[in-house]
Amino acid sequence: MTDFQGLLDGFATALSVENFGLLLLGVAIGTLVGALPGLGPTASIALLLPFAMTLSPVSALILLGAVYYGSQYGGTLTAVLVNVPGEVSSVVTAIEGHQMAKQGRAGLALYTAAIASFIAGTIGVVLLMVLGVTLGAFALFFGPPEYFAVYVLALSLVVTLVGKSPSKGLIAAAAGIGIGLIGTDPLTSAPRLQFGIDGLFDGVGIIAAAIGLFGIGEVLDNLYTGRLSGRPAITGLRLREMIPTRGDLRQVAGPIGRGSIIGYVVGLLPGAGVSIASFLAYGIERRRGKSRVPFGKGSIEGLAAPEAANNSAAAGAMTTMMSLGVPGSPTTALLLFALVTFGVQVGPGVFDTHPHIVWPFIASMYLGNVLLVLLNTLAVPLWVSLVRVGTPYLNAIIIALCLIGVYGSTLRMFDVWVALVFGILGFAMRRLDYPVAPMVLGLVLASGAERALRQSLIMSGGDFAIFATRPVSIVVATLTVAMIVAPFAIRAFRRRRAAAPLGKGAGS
Amino acid sequence: MSELHPTPPDNDVSPSRRAQTSAEVIVASAFAAFGGYMIVEALTRLKLWSASGPGSGFLPLVAGVLLVAAGLFVVATRLRRRSPLADESEQEPSQKHGGRLVLVTMVAIAGAIALVPVIGLVGAIFLAQVVILRFGDRHRWLVALLFPIATCALVFVVFELVFLISLPGGLIY
């Protein structure tokens, strides 16, 4: 199924001096932003977008992709050594990893996490390759109605899966779509939703909005919570203890395998994301209960499974983004935005239409995983020093990067104001439990979804039945309804089950 | 049970909870207002439907209706809820301080951006960094001044001299 010549050509491109240098830069930035609390991969990719836009499409994708999956490795460092997860997906790593560090097993925890990440990342890339090529066979079945159905599915999943309140998720998604529609109608060029502001004629810049929501919003949130005040206290690390014994390896083999598969499958679902993958993998290991050390007290199985899951989930999310053109998270939404800006039409068939971009990117993921396992085992003291020195100045660094990044992307001061407005909005949303992910997805998908909807209805002469008569769109629409109804049905079922014993008790 | 744990009367509600409720209502109302604007634009200025299918106002109308409905639902739910959420009732004093800090930072960044025509973008970055380092992260004045100077020098060298990207210089250069 796999085009090995394409893969070999991809390795040749990825190993060019420029691309390999960008790959190295990307994995290093990814590790650092993953390790630093208060700066996530989404903010980093948003900040790097203006620079990436000056590169060739393949170089930009190699750089931005490396930041994304690199951050999944880096999150472990602070989770284990400082007990502060750099990313939400590292929360469970902190539970077991920091306990191991306190027992003098920090080196073993970091090494195990790096190996688990490497194995899972590689499994994820293999699956991305196989599934991406397989989905290419369905390219002929994908027209505007199918794309519209998939966009609706993605948004519905994000609304229902992300955040605590579906109504707030819906608000974020609808507002994101509304903001994405500001500017001019893509088919008729009629101005719309501009609030009488000239600067909005070309719409809201996605880079400005993303930098505002994730960069400035993050700084305001850091200041509000005082999260980054002071130098982090770092648990001692003895590198000599990093090498695991054969017994350790035997213990983690199963959790790594299970975590890799669970993570990849969860990562495929738009909205589920790496955090849910890591929590699910941890929960399953805990339920199995086959650990010598109790969970919560430094279980190596409880560390390996979620670490594997969050890395393969990143590859799963890339699969959905590349082969269906549907981003499942803000980070993949920004990657998609970058590709669309370069004129790359992702979706089924992308392996045939853009092999010169897809194969080098996949090859770079193999190489990136090797680089990351080296960086996260041999260079641990370097990252620890950078985290120790950089954390107290992080807010100031982020704000400088935000201002310069937004201005550099369009050379318009208007966009700097837009970023500030979105920063304030992002802060308010975080504080009031509005999920930011649906807003970014709505913003990125709005124009594509509108185009697909209108093209579909032009094809059918305005008849909405077109979405219910084509096989792929029927399947996707059914999935959408199931995904929307399922959480409510499960909640109602649980409520009824919880109420049942009370009812019996009252009766007796 | 309700006699043992009576619902507190409205005048016993803590200021932090009142602030949280107000913030919830304001933000949800703002989203609903944006939805209302989309509906009005779609119905009055944009074409909803044409001979070839939906017009430029169709999707704004759908998004606007969803936004208004969900926004009003959140407002109504929030106003109806009487007992504080667990995480709201445990608001720490440091977070009250954090609120003031965020306000100061927002004003400082906005002021810095507004002053770009005078102090340039590099000057704006300097100003924003000083406020964040000194008042946000509570560094000593020396650090709060030296770090932004170093950052601004780096930004100037990288953008103006290496990449030859002209940044707004204001009245300074």
Side-chain angles (χ1 to χ4, degrees), chain A residues 168 171 178 185 192-195 220 223-224 392-393 395-396 399-400 404 407 413 417 424 432 434 454 457-458, chain B residues 24 27 31 37-38 41 46 52 54 56 67 70 91 95 98-99 102 105-106 110 113 129 137 139 155 159 168:
Chain A
K168 288 183 175 177
I171 288 178
D185 175 14
R192 64 178 176 188
L193 307 173
Q194 292 178 3
F195 293 91
L220 296 177
L223 291 172
Y224 183 78
Y393 306 102
N395 287 325
I399 211 72
I404 207 80
Y407 181 79
M413 279 311 293
W417 282 110
I424 296 167
L432 299 173
Y434 282 87
R454 288 167 77 175
L457 291 173
I458 288 170
Chain B
E24 282 268 17
V27 170
F31 277 125
Y37 170 72
M38 284 200 278
E41 274 264 301
L46 304 172
S52 58
S56 60
L67 204 46
Q91 198 176 30
Q95 292 187 347
V102 166
T105 309
M106 283 190 313
I113 298 171
Q129 281 197 324
D137 296 330
H139 287 281
V155 166
F159 281 84

Side-chain angles (χ1 to χ4, degrees), chain B residues 10-60:
Chain B
D10 279 351
N11 55 1
D12 281 356
V13 174
S14 68
S16 68
R17 192 196 151 205
R18 268 205 299 269
Q20 179 83 9
T21 303
S22 308
E24 282 268 17
V25 170
I26 289 168
V27 170
S29 305
F31 277 125
F34 177 47
Y37 170 72
M38 284 200 278
I39 293 171
V40 171
E41 274 264 301
L43 293 177
T44 58
R45 284 197 53 248
L46 304 172
K47 217 173 206 177
L48 280 182
W49 205 265
S50 66
S52 58
S56 60
F58 182 76
L59 203 54

Side-chain angles (χ1 to χ4, degrees), chain A residues 166-456:
Chain A
S167 50
K168 288 183 175 177
L170 179 61
I171 288 178
I177 292 171
I179 295 164
L181 296 175
I182 289 174
T184 48
D185 175 14
L187 297 188
T188 63
S189 298
R192 64 178 176 188
L193 307 173
Q194 292 178 3
F195 293 91
I197 300 169
D198 292 341
L200 290 176
F201 186 79
D202 293 326
V204 172
I206 289 178
I207 294 178
I211 288 180
L213 283 170
F214 294 102
I216 299 175
E218 194 70 48
V219 168
L220 296 177
D221 204 49
N222 290 339
L223 291 172
Y224 183 78
T225 55
R227 191 161 47 223
L228 300 183
S229 56
R231 225 172 265 279
I234 294 176
T235 309
L237 172 69
R238 280 170 282 187
L239 285 175
R240 214 177 296 164
E241 293 168 0
M242 282 185 90
I243 311 300
T245 63
R246 196 174 290 179
D248 292 330
L249 291 175
R250 213 174 296 135
Q251 265 177 285
V252 296
I256 290 175
R258 282 187 291 276
S260 303
I261 302 300
I262 292 164
Y264 186 79
V265 173
V266 173
L268 286 174
L269 298 173
V274 291
S275 310
I276 292 180
S278 66
F279 278 100
L280 190 63
Y282 181 74
I284 286 173
E285 288 309 315
R286 198 175 174 138
R287 195 163 286 185
R288 282 174 59 87
K290 291 184 178 172
S291 174
R292 282 185 213 156
V293 180
F295 281 87
K297 303 285 179 195
S299 156
I300 197 168
E301 291 89 343
L303 171 84
E307 271 305 305
N310 66 32
N311 279 272
S312 57
M318 295 274 203
T319 309
T320 316
M321 192 269 286
M322 298 286 283
S323 51
L324 287 179
V326 175
S329 65
T331 321
T332 44
L334 293 181
L335 289 173
L336 178 72
F337 166 74
L339 285 170
V340 171
T341 309
F342 280 123
V344 178
Q345 180 65 51
V346 286
V350 70
F351 281 75
D352 297 324
T353 54
H354 296 92
H356 56 291
I357 291 175
V358 178
W359 287 114
F361 176 56
I362 287 178
S364 79
M365 288 177 81
Y366 281 111
L367 297 170
N369 272 303
V370 176
L371 290 175
L372 278 162
V373 80
L374 295 174
L375 284 177
N376 282 271
T377 48
L378 304 179
V380 168
L382 171 73
W383 303 121
V384 170
S385 305
L386 285 173
V387 169
R388 200 194 308 250
V389 173
T391 302
Y393 306 102
L394 196 59
N395 287 325
I397 294 169
I398 298 173
I399 211 72
L401 289 173
C402 288
L403 296 179
I404 207 80
V406 175
Y407 181 79
S409 65
T410 57
L411 304 180
R412 290 197 320 163
M413 279 311 293
F414 179 79
D415 284 328
V416 181
W417 282 110
V418 169
L420 177 62
V421 170
F422 273 88
I424 296 167
L425 181 64
F427 168 71
M429 289 176 73
R430 274 182 185 82
R431 285 292 105 209
L432 299 173
D433 284 333
Y434 282 87
V436 182
M439 176 170 278
V440 178
L441 253 63
L443 186 56
V444 171
L445 295 184
S447 63
E450 185 181 35
R451 197 173 301 121
L453 171 70
R454 288 167 77 175
Q455 283 173 348
S456 307

